């Protein structure tokens, strides 16, 4: 069965302090790995899709990378508005569903 | 606004009652989903419909019955509500059932069963 584990569960940073969030996955044939952002009281908002090991994608202060076992979401010089829960999800070759991790709650202090 | 909308946003009800949550998308997508997010924030798929046809039905109690009257709507009816049904329910949509396209999520419905 597909599994997704995110770490840390919570991360508190100072504004401008760069860091990385981890998403480890076990899947039988990765079809895609997805990153979403979720603000309190709202639905998840799509950030990136990665399809194969070695792939990288960037959006503003965020950069997602993928290996055969894990993905990292690097956040460079974060701002308070980057505070949110970041969710990772995988889709495998056979299933027609996304399996989500439990998320990392990121807080950026001004 | 182009989006996925859900009603109601909050639903508080007694155990044993029957309730429905409605979802509509005006993005022109052909696939819609229901997810449940529990208190630990895990987001888990419940159902998926493609062109009004059920394609995913996870191990969800049969008290939960989705209905898709057309491609733009996917409603969720819950019979005989139990305490464990308390959660946030999200509707989502995407173009294509292959899951390679991003899913757009609604704002969620917080269900509290007393």
């Amino acid at each position: 069965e597909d599994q997704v584990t995110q770490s840390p569960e919570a991360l508190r940073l100072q504004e401008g302090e760069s860091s990385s969030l981890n998403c480890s996955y076990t899947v039988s044939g990765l079809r895609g790995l997805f990153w979403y952002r979720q603000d309190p009281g709202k639905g998840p908002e799509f950030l990136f899709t990665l399809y194969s090991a070695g792939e990288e994608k960037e959006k503003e202060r965020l950069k997602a990378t993928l290996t055969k076992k894990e993905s990292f979401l690097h956040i460079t010089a974060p701002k308070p508005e980057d505070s949110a829960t970041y969710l990772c999800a995988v889709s495998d070759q056979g299933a027609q569903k996304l399996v989500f991790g439990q998320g990392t709650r990121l807080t950026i202090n001004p | 606004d182009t989006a996925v909308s859900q009603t109601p946003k909050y639903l508080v009800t007694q155990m044993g009652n029957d309730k429905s949550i409605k979802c509509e998308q005006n993005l022109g997508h052909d696939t819609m989903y229901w997810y449940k997010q529990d208190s630990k924030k895990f987001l888990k798929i419940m159902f998926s419909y493609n062109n009004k046809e059920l394609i995913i039905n996870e191990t969800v109690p049969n008290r939960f019955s989705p209905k898709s009257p057309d491609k733009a709507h996917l409603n969720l009816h819950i019979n005989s509500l139990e305490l464990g049904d308390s959660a946030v329910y999200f509707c989502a949509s995407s173009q294509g059932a292959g899951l390679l396209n991003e899913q757009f999520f609604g704002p969620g419905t917080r269900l509290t069963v007393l």
Side-chain angles (χ1 to χ4, degrees), chain A residues 31 34 36 38 96-97, chain B residues 37 56 58 98-100 103:
Chain A
R31 199 157 183 214
F34 304 78
Y36 282 81
Q38 185 173 22
Q96 294 178 310
K97 63 180 182 180
Chain B
Q37 189 169 44
I56 294 176
E58 287 295 285
L99 292 177
L100 293 182
Q103 293 185 17

Side-chain angles (χ1 to χ4, degrees), chain B residues 27-45:
Chain B
L27 299 165
H29 291 163
D30 60 5
T31 306
M32 296 184 74
Y33 312 82
W34 276 112
Y35 285 88
K36 179 180 180 180
Q37 189 169 44
D38 61 24
S39 57
K40 293 188 177 181
K41 301 298 184 185
F42 270 105
L43 200 61
K44 194 166 182 184
I45 186 85

Side-chain angles (χ1 to χ4, degrees), chain B residues 44-97:
Chain B
K44 194 166 182 184
I45 186 85
M46 299 173 69
F47 302 102
S48 171
Y49 271 76
N50 176 253
N51 286 316
K52 301 195 302 174
E53 183 182 339
L54 181 66
I55 56 171
I56 294 176
N57 185 354
E58 287 295 285
T59 41
V60 174
N62 56 16
R63 298 181 294 103
F64 289 79
S65 53
K67 283 192 172 51
S68 181
D70 55 57
K71 286 198 305 184
H73 296 85
L74 180 61
N75 303 323
L76 184 65
H77 187 76
I78 316 170
N79 289 326
S80 303
L81 278 155
E82 300 178 358
L83 293 176
D85 297 332
S86 295
V88 182
Y89 292 84
F90 287 99
C91 177
S93 73
S94 69
Q95 184 55 35

Side-chain angles (χ1 to χ4, degrees), chain A residues 39-82:
Chain A
D39 291 302
K42 295 190 176 181
E45 179 186 339
F46 173 79
L47 292 173
F48 305 107
T49 308
L50 302 167
Y51 298 104
S52 57
E55 190 174 359
E56 298 182 354
K57 287 194 177 171
E58 288 189 63
K59 181 179 180 179
E60 295 181 1
R61 295 175 292 282
L62 297 176
K63 178 179 173 181
T65 62
L66 181 65
T67 72
K68 289 188 177 179
K69 293 183 180 180
E70 57 192 350
S71 176
F72 291 94
L73 185 65
H74 307 277
I75 182 159
T76 303
K79 299 182 178 182
E81 54 262 41
D82 295 321

Side-chain angles (χ1 to χ4, degrees), chain A:
Chain A
E1 188 174 318
D2 300 344
Q3 281 194 318
V4 179
T5 303
Q6 293 187 244
S7 61
E9 283 192 19
L11 181 63
R12 191 178 291 270
L13 302 171
Q14 289 299 122
E15 185 172 0
E17 181 184 359
S18 302
S19 188
S20 296
L21 313 182
N22 177 264
C23 170
S24 297
Y25 63 90
T26 304
V27 67
S28 55
L30 180 71
R31 199 157 183 214
L33 185 140
F34 304 78
W35 282 98
Y36 282 81
R37 168 190 170 130
Q38 185 173 22
D39 291 302
K42 295 190 176 181
E45 179 186 339
F46 173 79
L47 292 173
F48 305 107
T49 308
L50 302 167
Y51 298 104
S52 57
E55 190 174 359
E56 298 182 354
K57 287 194 177 171
E58 288 189 63
K59 181 179 180 179
E60 295 181 1
R61 295 175 292 282
L62 297 176
K63 178 179 173 181
T65 62
L66 181 65
T67 72
K68 289 188 177 179
K69 293 183 180 180
E70 57 192 350
S71 176
F72 291 94
L73 185 65
H74 307 277
I75 182 159
T76 303
K79 299 182 178 182
E81 54 262 41
D82 295 321
S83 296
T85 295
Y86 290 85
L87 301 170
C88 173
V90 297
S91 169
D92 69 22
Q93 296 287 350
Q96 294 178 310
K97 63 180 182 180
L98 293 184
V99 175
F100 281 83
Q102 81 279 22
T104 292
R105 189 173 67 252
L106 177 65
T107 305
I108 308 298
N109 294 317

